[in-house]
Amino acid sequence: MSTKPSVYKNASRKEYKLTNEQRNIYRKISQESREAKRRASLGFLSSIHSINTPRLEPNQLMPPLESNGLTTLSLFSGGGGLDLGFDKAGYTHQGAYELIPICGKTLKSNRPNWIVHSGPENGDVSKVVWQDYIIDVIHGGPPCQPFSIAGQQAGQNDDRNMWGEFIRAVNAHRPKSFVAENVLGILNPKFSGFVQKYILDKLPDYHIHIFELNAADFGVPQQRRRVFFVGFRTKAAFKCFQIPKPSHRWKKSPDDLFEDTLAKTMGVREALGLADTGYDALAPTLRSAFTGKRNTTSVLNSSAGQKAWGNLGIWPNGVQANREKASAFPAKYDHFRLSVQDCALLQGFPEYWRFAGAVYQVLGQIGNSVAPPVAYQVAKAVAFALAGKQHHL
Ligand SMILES: C[S@@+](CC[C@H](N)C(=O)[O-])C[C@H]1O[C@@H](n2cnc3c(N)ncnc32)[C@H](O)[C@@H]1O
């Protein structure tokens, strides 16, 4: 197995394959977008939507907890979704490792006191000789493209598979617990052999829970299902651990027993503070701009996604660097044009978490991240289990 993460090391060598249908969609979108931009620059169009004031406040989904005395080491940190969730849940951050320099910049600018190792020289986990840390929890999202349905699903044979590196760090430090996040594709039966042989069998000292969470069940206005592997060194903590139960629900069914206890997840229009059109829905899963063939300022994932955004009256392409720019660049059909702040909000990031980089890099960090309110719930549940308590919402 090669451990070279080629896709991240050299943007021009991205190996992601698109279907012809996807390629045609993206080509058409970028042609239309170029034309719209040209017309806007010639003054043909005037601002059609005012600057939105969001109604969703992600801080309320993850109120900061007092320090729990536990330390974390973050691998594959990206723009910090997992890191922020653990931070809000009261953990003390001891270090982050991330290959892409701009992600390191995001982490450092938001949390100047964090020790951030980033870039091919300092941030590449495959180059680290682990010996420095005594750590309670290691968390990370090993790159998920090898298992993503959007990709080739080459798994173990994909040179972006970094599970081996995550496991090497866990076995070197023997933390009390670890949390690894991945795409749903990893639970596809075609990877069950991989999961057993290259993950579970390689962590013989850990008792491991594997479960799926949907960000929409925790107040995030997006359909985003992800898999978590949560391991504990002691059986007692493993038994205490409770998979976070939904705190929110998008649509309540009439026979829903939890009807009175669960808060409602806002739809996209409500969350972004857009006018009530009588229709609202969750956002389709936001795409990471890092995983495509080309740099993109679109959050579109599929043709189904295109329809969903269309029904919402929202334009998912040509995302702008801020709300002012978005409001001044009208989209087709009078649709609302997104800014990166809007996309971050739809991923559950609070407004104060600022991403470094150009729009495509920001969308790359957002689309790659664990929604912080989800990370917060997992982090809370781990802390409870390590304290020998069960986690009740
Ligand atoms: C799925 S993203 C992680 C997102 C992050 N957990 C969050 O919640 O925001 C995977 C990250 O792994 C990084 N990565 C890939 N190979 C790496 C390596 N060898 N060393 C360090 N980071 C790496 C990628 O640049 C990417 O940002």
Side-chain angles (χ1 to χ4, degrees):
M1 175 186 72
S2 160
T3 53
K4 288 205 182 68
S6 54
V7 72
Y8 294 107
K9 280 194 168 158
N10 184 344
S12 64
R13 285 187 55 218
K14 282 179 181 171
E15 290 157 3
Y16 228 65
K17 299 267 190 307
L18 292 175
T19 63
N20 282 340
E21 188 204 5
Q22 286 170 319
R23 187 169 295 112
N24 288 337
I25 290 172
Y26 295 139
R27 189 175 293 136
K28 187 157 175 277
I29 287 166
S30 72
Q31 278 165 356
E32 287 174 355
S33 182
R34 268 199 307 277
E35 174 57 15
K37 211 164 207 167
R38 191 186 66 79
R39 287 172 62 78
S41 71
L42 293 175
F44 285 143
L45 302 164
S46 57
S47 175
I48 54 159
H49 68 71
S50 52
I51 294 171
N52 55 313
T53 306
R55 285 195 202 106
L56 176 67
E57 174 42 274
N59 284 308
Q60 289 174 358
L61 303 176
M62 43 182 186
L65 300 179
E66 302 250 304
S67 168
N68 57 24
L70 297 167
T71 54
T72 55
L73 176 65
S74 163
L75 308 182
F76 311 106
S77 316
L82 266 178
D83 297 56
L84 178 58
F86 272 80
D87 179 69
K88 300 279 262 180
Y91 290 74
T92 304
H93 198 276
Q94 294 287 55
Y97 287 83
E98 165 56 51
L99 192 58
I100 301 179
I102 203 74
C103 299
K105 222 169 167 180
T106 294
L107 299 173
K108 206 64 201 151
S109 65
N110 285 290
R111 290 285 188 273
N113 60 324
W114 284 1
I115 299 166
V116 177
H117 309 268
S118 62
E121 281 314 307
N122 302 317
D124 185 345
V125 294
S126 65
K127 291 184 181 161
V128 183
V129 181
W130 297 115
Q131 55 194 6
D132 297 327
Y133 297 97
I134 296 170
I135 212 82
D136 295 311
V137 180
I138 293 185
H139 63 70
C144 45
Q145 293 89 343
F147 311 99
S148 168
I149 48 164
Q152 302 286 294
Q153 292 202 305
Q156 165 70 3
N157 299 322
D158 190 314
D159 65 4
R160 293 165 298 183
N161 168 31
M162 283 281 127
W163 270 98
E165 286 303 326
F166 184 81
I167 289 165
R168 184 172 73 86
V170 170
N171 286 333
H173 298 106
R174 297 176 46 76
K176 292 175 183 157
S177 174
F178 70 79
V179 174
E181 173 264 354
N182 230 260
V183 287
L184 219 50
I186 199 165
L187 293 189
N188 185 315
K190 95 186 234 194
F191 294 125
S192 59
F194 171 87
V195 169
Q196 188 61 48
K197 188 167 168 198
Y198 294 104
I199 301 178
L200 307 182
D201 291 353
K202 299 278 183 206
L203 291 160
D205 296 339
Y206 285 86
H207 308 278
I208 301 171
H209 291 275
I210 305 175
F211 56 92
E212 177 196 330
L213 296 177
N214 188 345
D217 290 338
F218 300 93
V220 177
Q222 186 189 149
Q223 283 289 5
R224 192 176 185 86
R225 296 161 70 202
R226 287 293 185 265
V227 174
F228 289 83
F229 290 68
V230 177
F232 293 95
R233 252 190 25 227
T234 69
K235 206 157 199 166
F238 171 80
K239 279 188 174 161
C240 260
F241 179 78
Q242 289 192 325
I243 297 169
K245 294 193 180 66
S247 56
H248 288 66
R249 186 152 305 199
W250 159 238
K251 282 266 191 256
K252 293 175 179 172
S253 66
D255 53 349
D256 187 352
L257 295 175
F258 300 105
E259 188 151 19
D260 293 327
T261 55
L262 293 184
K264 179 184 169 290
T265 300
M266 289 182 190
V268 174
R269 292 194 66 90
E270 185 181 0
L272 295 181
L274 307 183
D276 185 355
T277 58
Y279 176 82
D280 210 349
L282 295 172
T285 308
L286 296 189
R287 157 186 201 228
S288 169
F290 282 152
T291 54
K293 267 269 188 209
R294 299 171 297 139
N295 298 335
T296 175
T297 55
S298 168
V299 289
L300 207 53
N301 226 342
S302 61
S303 35
Q306 189 163 26
K307 195 160 172 246
W309 287 111
N311 291 340
L312 279 162
I314 291 178
W315 193 244
N317 313 300
V319 174
Q320 296 296 293
N322 56 54
R323 293 198 171 100
E324 289 71 23
K325 281 192 176 164
S327 77
F329 180 16
K332 269 170 84 171
Y333 318 123
D334 285 355
H335 282 183
F336 175 80
R337 187 180 288 281
L338 292 164
S339 65
V340 291
Q341 286 80 20
D342 295 328
C343 297
L345 189 90
L346 297 179
Q347 185 79 357
F349 279 93
E351 204 78 14
Y352 64 72
W353 193 263
R354 309 301 284 194
F355 291 90
V359 169
Y360 82 92
Q361 293 169 309
V362 176
L363 296 182
Q365 294 171 72
I366 294 171
N368 255 348
S369 67
V370 177
V374 175
Y376 172 85
Q377 293 295 345
V378 175
K380 236 169 94 173
V382 168
F384 269 74
L386 291 177
K389 294 186 255 176
Q390 304 225 307
H391 178 218
H392 294 291
L393 288 167

